[in-house]
Amino acid sequence: MFLTISTTGTPERPATDLGYLLHKHPDNAQTFSTSYGTAHVFYPEASAERCTAALLLEVDAVALVRRGKGKGRGGAPDAALAQYVNDRPYAASSLLAVALSAVFSSAMKGQCRAKPELPDQARPLRIEVPAVPARGGADLVRGLFEPLGWTMTVEPVALDPEFPEWGDSRYVRLVLESETLTLAEALRHLYVLLPVLDDAKHYWVAPDEVDKLLRAGEGWLPEHPEQKLITSRYLSRRWSLTRQAMERLELVRLAETDDSEVEEIDNAVEEETEVEERPTPLAVQRREAITAALKTSGAARVLDLGCGQGQLVQALLKDTAFTEIVGVDVSMRALTIASRRLKLDRMGERQAARVQLLQGSLAYTDKRLKGYDAAVLCEVVEHLDLPRLPALEYAVFGAARPRTVLVTTPNVEYNVRWETLPAGHSRHSDHRFEWTREEFRAWAATVAERHGYDTEFVPVGPDDPEVGPPTQMAVFTMKTETETANKEKEANAA
C-alpha cells in the first residue's frame, strides 16, 4: 500500500515544515514494525518550494491471517484461499489507516514541539493514493470528501488495461487537494474514510472503536451529510455500536447547538398557528450581551479575537456604531468560512471598509492588534491549555491593550441544568477546562490587577439562583493614567 502527502511553500514558510509536522526528518528513510507488516517513511522530494512524504506499507499476508484469525468482512470467515490471496497488500484499506495512526500519531493529534505554531496553520496539501477500493464508486468518494473542503480527482482503475471491454474495477486512483485544511485534519479524514470506502476492516470491531471514531471525527463528523453511512461502515455495520455512536454524535451536536458559536439564527417565518415560541439560543443571547456591553463602553473599533466562523463579526456589522471590526483566528479554514458567511466578495465598498479578517495566534504579540477601542474573547479561553493562558493574557492585556476587553466563558456550575449533557462531561469536546464562577472571578481579578484594569461581571442567559448563568462574562475597563500612576506609587511605597 502506498500513499504520498505533498505540500508547497515559500522561503518564509518552507514546504519542508512538513517534516516537523510529521516528526520525520526529510533526510532519513525510516522503518516501523506493525502487527501486519512493515511501514516505510521516506521523502521523494524535499525543498523549500515543494516537499513530498511517502508512506509505503508492506503487508505480511500470513501475519494478517494469523492475527486476524481468518476474520474477514463483518467478522465472517473467508474461504481458505482468500485468506492468503486477496487485495489487502495492494489497495488502501483499514491496514493503511492503522499505519497512518501509528506512524504519524503526533501529527494526527496536532502536536509539534519544535514548532508549536505549525499544526494550527492550514497549508496547501495534495494527497495521492494509487489504489483505493470504492464500494459505491466515484460518486461515493465525492460525497465523503467534498463536504470536508477537498477537491479531488477520482480515476477508475481498469480491470485489465489490455482488455478495456472488461470495464472498470471497483478500485480508483484518488488525489485529494486542499488549501484550507491543516495536516491533522487531513490525516483524521483519511483515518476514518479509508476503511469506510473499503467497507471492511482487517480486525474485529470492538466497542472501543466508537471512541476512536468520535476522536478522529471531532469537528467534522457530527455535521457531515453522510454521517450515518460513515458511522455504519466504520463500525463494520455492527448495529449496536452504530446506534451508540449516532446517539453520542447527536449529543455533541446538541451541545454545540446550545453552547457554541456554530449556531445559526433561525430566520424562518413561523405560520400563524398555536406554536409554542422557541427560546432564544444561548449563542444569540451571548452575542446580544457582547454588543450591548460594547455600545455601553463607547467602542467604535473592535477586535473579535478567536472569531471562528464569523458569527459575532456578522452581528456587529449590522450596527453602524462599530466603524471597524477585525476578526482574528489561527485557523485559515475558519476564516475562509467566515469570509463566505460575510459574503466579502460581494460586499459593498463602504461596508467592506468596515471589516477585516486576519490570521494570527493569540498566544503571540501582534502589532496589528494595537490601538483598538475594544477586544472580545468570546468562548475562547476554555479552548487553551491552562499553561498557555499567560501568553494570551500578555498578548491581549499587556501588548494590544485595548481600552475595553470582554471575556465570555462557560459556567461549569450550570452544566447540571443541561439535560442532554452527561454528568462530568464538558460542553464541548475541545474544552480544556471549564471554570466555576469563583474560579473565573479569581482569574479575572489577577489579570486586571496585573495590567491596570477594573472588572465587572455580567450574567449571560438565565441567571439560576443556585448555579448561576450558563455563560459568565467579564468586562475589563482600563484604568485612567492617573489611577494607574497612583497605584504604581502605592506599590513602590509599600
Side-chain angles (χ1 to χ4, degrees):
M1 300 181 189
F2 188 69
L3 172 147
T4 60
I5 303 171
S6 301
T7 188
T8 56
T10 63
E12 297 76 24
R13 192 181 177 191
T16 48
D17 279 347
L18 183 63
Y20 288 100
L21 287 166
L22 294 175
H23 289 249
K24 305 292 181 290
H25 198 286
D27 291 343
N28 300 328
Q30 300 183 50
T31 300
F32 305 86
S33 296
T34 73
S35 299
Y36 303 97
T38 305
H40 306 272
V41 178
F42 55 96
Y43 288 74
E45 55 182 345
S47 67
E49 293 74 30
R50 183 174 176 83
C51 186
T52 298
L55 173 63
L56 173 64
L57 179 62
E58 293 182 291
V59 178
D60 184 340
V62 175
L64 179 62
V65 172
R66 289 176 177 173
R67 290 181 179 273
K69 298 180 181 178
K71 296 287 184 178
R73 180 181 175 184
D78 290 331
L81 182 60
Q83 293 181 13
Y84 295 91
V85 182
N86 53 50
D87 63 356
R88 299 302 85 180
Y90 311 105
S93 65
S94 59
L95 284 164
L96 186 59
V98 171
L100 278 171
S101 176
V103 176
F104 300 140
S105 59
S106 296
M108 190 174 292
K109 295 174 185 176
Q111 298 173 347
C112 181
R113 292 184 180 179
K115 293 189 176 183
E117 73 277 7
L118 291 182
D120 292 329
Q121 295 177 359
R123 61 184 54 250
L125 291 172
R126 186 181 191 273
I127 296 175
E128 181 173 353
V129 190
V132 183
R135 299 178 187 270
D139 289 340
L140 174 65
V141 179
R142 294 188 181 94
L144 293 177
F145 285 97
E146 281 185 348
L148 301 174
W150 292 101
T151 57
M152 67 198 68
T153 301
V154 185
E155 298 177 356
V157 177
L159 281 172
D160 191 327
E162 296 184 8
F163 299 93
E165 65 272 19
W166 290 4
D168 295 327
S169 69
R170 65 182 181 90
Y171 302 93
V172 298
R173 171 180 171 267
L174 178 61
V175 178
L176 301 171
E177 295 179 284
S178 172
E179 295 190 358
T180 61
L181 296 170
T182 66
L183 180 63
E185 290 172 327
L187 291 175
R188 289 197 291 267
H189 294 169
L190 291 171
Y191 176 76
V192 173
L193 296 182
L194 285 178
V196 169
L197 283 171
D198 191 17
D199 197 11
K201 282 201 169 182
H202 66 278
Y203 57 90
W204 177 252
V205 175
D208 64 348
E209 289 294 302
V210 175
D211 293 327
K212 295 179 184 178
L213 174 62
L214 295 184
R215 282 197 300 269
E218 180 181 338
W220 62 271
L221 184 55
E223 300 297 332
H224 198 290
E226 297 292 344
Q227 178 200 103
K228 186 174 182 180
L229 180 144
I230 293 171
T231 304
S232 174
R233 284 193 173 193
Y234 183 88
L235 297 171
S236 295
R237 303 183 187 275
R238 291 192 61 189
W239 301 119
S240 61
L241 298 182
T242 301
R243 184 168 56 251
Q244 178 187 341
M246 293 293 291
E247 290 173 353
R248 290 176 61 180
L249 286 167
E250 180 64 11
L251 284 176
V252 171
R253 190 189 67 79
L254 289 173
E256 291 180 350
T257 300
D258 284 334
D259 183 63
S260 80
E261 290 305 310
V262 179
E263 281 188 88
E264 295 281 346
I265 302 175
D266 184 7
N267 293 319
V269 179
E270 293 189 359
E271 298 179 1
E272 294 183 1
T273 56
E274 295 182 0
V275 179
E276 183 178 346
E277 185 178 354
R278 296 176 63 182
T280 303
L282 178 59
V284 178
Q285 296 182 57
R286 190 183 300 121
R287 290 192 285 270
E288 291 174 346
I290 289 170
T291 303
L294 289 172
K295 295 190 73 170
T296 299
S297 73
R301 304 175 66 238
V302 179
L303 296 167
D304 181 8
L305 304 178
C307 66
Q309 299 177 6
Q311 289 90 338
L312 179 59
V313 173
Q314 185 179 45
L316 295 179
L317 275 173
K318 297 176 182 177
D319 195 322
T320 56
F322 305 113
T323 59
E324 184 179 355
I325 304 150
V326 177
V328 182
D329 203 279
V330 73
S331 169
M332 277 302 301
R333 185 185 182 196
L335 292 175
T336 300
I337 296 172
S339 178
R340 292 173 185 165
R341 176 189 296 277
L342 299 171
K343 298 180 175 64
L344 290 182
D345 56 338
R346 289 176 279 169
M347 190 176 285
E349 184 176 346
R350 181 176 297 181
Q351 187 79 332
R354 297 175 57 211
V355 62
Q356 186 178 8
L357 299 178
L358 303 175
Q359 184 186 24
S361 171
L362 302 182
Y364 301 93
T365 59
D366 191 334
K367 294 180 181 179
R368 299 174 298 175
L369 308 185
K370 291 185 177 181
Y372 286 84
D373 300 328
V376 179
L377 290 161
C378 178
E379 308 299 282
V380 170
V381 294
E382 64 273 10
H383 291 274
L384 274 71
D385 293 319
L386 283 171
R388 300 187 69 185
L389 271 184
L392 175 142
E393 173 195 327
Y394 178 75
V396 175
F397 294 91
R401 291 194 65 76
R403 190 173 67 247
T404 301
V405 181
L406 307 182
V407 180
T408 74
T409 192
N411 168 24
V412 70
E413 297 170 77
Y414 192 88
N415 287 359
V416 295
R417 297 292 188 256
W418 296 116
E419 295 181 359
T420 59
L421 188 64
H425 284 236
S426 297
R427 296 188 201 175
H428 190 282
S429 57
D430 189 52
H431 286 185
R432 309 306 169 88
F433 61 87
E434 288 180 353
W435 275 326
T436 64
R437 288 168 290 174
E438 182 180 350
E439 289 170 333
F440 180 52
R441 288 176 180 244
W443 174 81
T446 301
V447 171
E449 178 69 20
R450 184 178 293 129
H451 297 285
Y453 284 81
D454 289 320
T455 53
E456 177 188 357
F457 297 93
V458 179
V460 179
D463 197 356
D464 189 286
E466 295 181 2
V467 297
T471 294
Q472 43 192 342
M473 179 168 71
V475 180
F476 296 81
T477 305
M478 186 183 293
K479 296 178 180 179
T480 64
E481 292 183 4
T482 302
E483 290 177 317
T484 303
N486 290 338
K487 192 72 174 178
E488 290 178 353
K489 288 180 181 178
E490 293 176 4
N492 292 334

